[in-house]
Structure formats: structure tokens, C-alpha cells
Amino acid sequence: MDKGNSLPGHQAASQPAWGSGAGDDAESAGQDPYGTPPYGQPGPWAPAPPVQRPDPTPPAGTQLPPPAQGPAPQARSEGPRYDPWATPHGGTPVPQAHPAPQQPPAGRGRAGRLVAGAAVIALVAGVLGGGIGVYLEREGLFSEVRLPQATAGESPPPEGSIAGIAAEVLPGVVTLGGGTGFVLDDEGHILTNAHVVRPAAESGVIDVTFSSGDRAQAEVIGQDSGYDLAVVKVTGVSGLSPLPLGDSDAVRVGDPVVAIGAPFDLAGTVTSGIISATERPITAGGAEADGSDISYVNALQTDAPINPGNSGGPLVDGSGRVIGVNSAIRTADSGGLDPGQSGSVGLGFAIPVNQAKDVAEQLINTGRASHPVIGVTLDTGYPGDGARIGSASGGRAVEPGSPADEAGVEEGDVITAVDGEPVRGSDELIVKIRSHRPGDELELTIERDGDEISLPVTLGEAYSD
């Protein structure tokens, strides 16, 4: 985001503009000098219209000025008025038969009535107001609303629940590079995917962040692209939480599973699902021109959401034991397997932990891992079902002295099954062989010249460069 760029088309106005004639004199533009200017602009100054102040009304009891001077009215001559209470000439005052009643001062009766009326009105208003207030208070209109809410319990999550599994597993999960890993032992060994630590191949050092937020640097002990597995080690870190390893051979379709990782850098993300399939042959990688980054896995398939960043994280069973290492997803847009480029569509794949355990032990003990081989070259362009033995370069397709040579495999043979399980292509044959260990004996079903034969073969051993 660029910052500091001026807004296009913005320029300062030096004069306020009112009406359509911006900048012109208001009077010359025919505008009302007393009109209201546009909102936010100062109005023009104009002389106020002439006004008069009316004389104030005199207060009550104030003497009004005398009327205009004129000729004085003539006094009318009248005789003496009769005064019934006057003393008669030459006599004593006549006593009154009854004393005259005293009249209340003018206005006192009216004031009393007003006070009484006001008291009645106040009483009625108080009663009505109290009743209305009680009603409004009862309806909660005068008080803040408080909604009911259940309180969280103090007890730990039930054993075997997703919350319980997450609480047990999360302390042993770490983030590193662009992916995830998990602690194998108290010595600081951490298992992850090879494609997660590949960017650290030159330096051999990678940053690790634990669930507690503590950080440390780890040394890459070893990696194997063919299995897409790697082991790193941290030193000087105490309080590690190794995760227990389960048995991937005992996993059944439909078993509940939980995946933990850092999808899109969101560390500590927990997702759940089931095992959708077992022994699903997959190949992933292929970014390198020589194919050195291609991994062949007889994988566990799960619908637990796995996204970029989950790679190398644990797939655990209902008891919190690791049964697989999340490695690849199938994407709807690319139509292929991708170790970390697109979002989950419910097709995730994990390396079985039995295979991961064997490779991890080799990497920890020797720094490299061996692969089981039969010593043949496969014709990857063969269009039919099965894996055809053949070399595109014209060299020998069966290596002399190899397990395949000793078993009687010939160039042109098509391997259609391994231990009775169908083989549909060359990649699937490699996956099925890699799911075993050197020294294991397999039975190959071969089509040769229209006939079907079975050949036993003992797997040899090879190491990646």
C-alpha cells in the first residue's frame, strides 16, 4: 500500500463560493445579502433592518400618566348627602342593634380554593405517578437489562472429547518454517515433513515456536524426500511434552481423528474428522526437475480439514496418540496432490506413523533413511493397467544381482499385483514397495506373454543421495 500520495483532482479554494456565481460580488450577482450561505461558509455582512423597541408593559399598581390636559369639568352643586350613621344634630349617636360582620380581605377565599385544588391535583398526580412507576419498574423500563447466562464449569473436558484430546496434544505441537511438527522425546527431537525444512537445507538451522510461545533454534538432523519426512532437534529446552505414538496398522475406516497444526500461520489450530480410507497410494511434490522431491506414500486419507501450514503436524486418534503425519492434500483447482498451495476440500493425506517411526529412528541414529527396492526400471509411459518393466533409455531394465533379477523378473513383464493387491500403475507399485521394509518378502503377480505367474521377491535396501 503506497502512503503519502495526494488525492487526484484536489485543489485548495482561495475564495468562498456561494451560489452559482462563485467569486463574484454578492450584490452584483443578484443575490439576497440576507440569504443564508452554503453550510460551512461564512455569511456576508449586511446592515440590519430598522427596528423599534416597544414600550414595556407597566407593572401592576403602577400609576398611569394623567390624561391629556383640558378644561376642568365643572363641579355640580349638590346638597348634603344623607348619612345614616351620622350623629344627629344636637343628639347622641344611635347605638347599633347588631355589629356589622367583618368581611374577609378581597382575594383570600380564591387563594384558598387554589391551594386546595393544587393539593388535590398533587395527590392525584402522586398516586398516578406511583402506580405508573411501579408498572414501569416491574416491566424493566427503568433498569438495565441483564440476560441470563450459564456459568462455565471448573471440571476438565471429558476424556476422549475433541477438547480433551486438544488439551493433551497441543503442548507437544510446534510450528517451524512454513509448517508444523511435534515432539518425539525429551531429548528435543521433533518430527516434521521434509518439504517443511527444505528451505533451511543450506544453513541447517530452523526456528521453532512452542505452544507456550517460547522460541528456540533447531538443527536439522536428517531428511528424506522419498518419504517426505525430516527430524530436527532443539537443545537447552526443558519441559518438553513428547506425543505418544499409536499403531497405524490398527486404524480402521471411520475412526475419529484430530489434526493439529498451523494452517496459513494460524498456530494451534484444531480440526477433526474421520479416517476416510487406508493404504491410499499417493505421490506428492515434483517441483524439482529431477524428481528428487517426489514422495511416495501409502497414506491414511482423512476428511479432517488440512490446509497449507498443517504439513508435518500430527494426526491423532481418539486417545490422543499419533497415527499419522499430515503431509498432502488434494485440491479441486489443481486436480492433483499438493503439499501446501491450496485450501482443503476434505481430502487430506497423512504418512502412517508406523512408517514415520521407522524413518525417524533411522534419521536420528544415522542421519539418513534406507528405502526398500527390487532393482528394476519402470516404463512410466505404459498405458495399460499395471507397471511394465522397461527402460526408455535403452539400458537394462533389470539390474543384475538385484532382488528382481534373483526372483526371475524379466524386461517386458507387467506387474499387476503385490501380495494380491492390484497395481494400476508404476507410481502405485513404488508406493506399495515403499510401504514395507528392506528384507520383507513380497509376492509379485506378473503377466508375461499372455500368461500370469507369481514370483516371490525379497526387498533390497538403498539410500537416497
Side-chain angles (χ1 to χ4, degrees):
M1 177 185 297
D2 294 332
K3 298 182 179 179
N5 293 340
S6 60
L7 296 175
H10 176 75
Q11 57 185 4
S14 61
Q15 296 291 337
W18 303 310
S20 60
D24 294 341
D25 183 78
E27 183 176 358
S28 63
Q31 297 183 2
D32 183 2
Y34 306 108
T36 302
Y39 179 75
Q41 298 292 340
W45 291 102
V51 297
Q52 286 185 339
R53 294 180 178 177
D55 292 333
T57 303
T62 303
Q63 296 294 330
L64 295 176
Q69 296 293 330
Q74 296 291 330
R76 187 172 59 180
S77 175
E78 294 181 356
R81 295 182 179 182
Y82 172 73
D83 185 359
W85 308 108
T87 302
H89 294 284
T92 59
V94 179
Q96 298 179 5
H98 300 286
Q102 296 183 354
Q103 299 293 332
R108 181 176 297 176
R110 182 180 180 185
R113 290 192 297 273
L114 291 176
V115 171
V120 172
I121 293 174
L123 178 60
V124 174
V127 172
L128 292 178
I132 294 174
V134 170
Y135 171 78
L136 295 178
E137 180 68 23
R138 184 181 303 164
E139 296 298 322
L141 300 180
F142 282 164
S143 61
E144 294 183 357
V145 175
R146 291 290 186 267
L147 301 177
Q149 183 180 22
T151 58
E154 297 292 336
S155 59
E159 184 178 356
S161 65
I162 303 300
I165 295 171
E168 293 180 4
V169 176
L170 276 170
V173 180
V174 303
T175 58
L176 68 167
T180 309
F182 60 93
V183 180
L184 291 174
D185 54 30
D186 292 326
E187 296 182 7
H189 292 108
I190 296 171
L191 183 62
T192 185
N193 283 142
H195 73 263
V196 170
V197 302
R198 189 171 296 120
E202 295 183 2
S203 63
V205 177
I206 191 169
D207 290 329
V208 174
T209 303
F210 294 87
S211 61
S212 61
D214 295 333
R215 305 184 66 177
Q217 283 195 330
E219 176 189 2
V220 179
I221 300 299
Q223 57 181 308
D224 190 286
S225 298
Y227 290 115
D228 195 20
L229 291 169
V231 172
V232 301
K233 183 180 181 181
V234 294
T235 56
V237 179
S238 60
L240 296 175
S241 301
L243 298 188
L245 305 183
D247 182 5
S248 54
D249 289 343
V251 173
R252 298 166 298 183
V253 174
D255 283 348
V257 290
V258 174
I260 300 179
F264 299 103
D265 293 329
L266 300 174
T269 296
V270 178
T271 56
S272 64
I274 62 170
I275 292 294
S276 303
T278 60
E279 298 183 352
R280 184 74 80 188
I282 65 168
T283 59
E288 302 294 333
D290 58 358
S292 59
D293 62 331
I294 298 178
S295 60
Y296 302 89
V297 179
N298 211 20
L300 299 174
Q301 181 182 329
T302 179
D303 66 348
I306 297 175
N307 289 286
N310 274 108
S311 296
L315 184 70
V316 301
D317 60 15
S319 299
R321 297 171 298 196
V322 180
I323 58 172
V325 181
N326 300 320
S327 180
I329 59 175
R330 178 134 191 168
T331 60
D333 52 353
S334 66
L337 293 171
D338 195 335
Q341 294 298 321
S342 301
S344 170
V345 294
L347 295 173
F349 302 93
I351 303 167
V353 74
N354 290 6
Q355 185 176 61
K357 175 179 177 293
D358 177 59
V359 174
E361 289 173 347
Q362 294 184 62
L363 294 176
I364 293 172
N365 295 324
T366 67
R368 60 177 185 168
S370 63
H371 304 156
V373 295
I374 60 175
V376 298
T377 301
L378 301 177
D379 182 5
T380 57
Y382 178 67
D385 285 341
R388 183 177 183 273
I389 309 299
S391 174
S393 62
R396 298 190 60 173
V398 179
E399 183 179 346
S402 65
D405 187 32
E406 294 179 356
V409 177
E410 299 178 359
E411 185 172 354
D413 288 349
V414 177
I415 301 175
T416 59
V418 174
D419 285 344
E421 297 180 0
V423 172
R424 287 176 287 272
S426 57
D427 287 347
E428 191 167 332
L429 175 63
I430 297 174
V431 168
K432 289 187 178 297
I433 292 176
R434 290 258 180 117
S435 64
H436 294 81
R437 298 180 180 180
D440 291 347
E441 185 175 297
L442 305 178
E443 184 175 287
L444 305 180
T445 301
I446 294 176
E447 288 185 357
R448 180 187 297 170
D449 299 330
D451 296 330
E452 184 177 279
I453 59 176
S454 294
L455 298 176
V457 59
T458 300
L459 299 180
E461 184 177 34
Y463 291 88
S464 298
D465 294 335

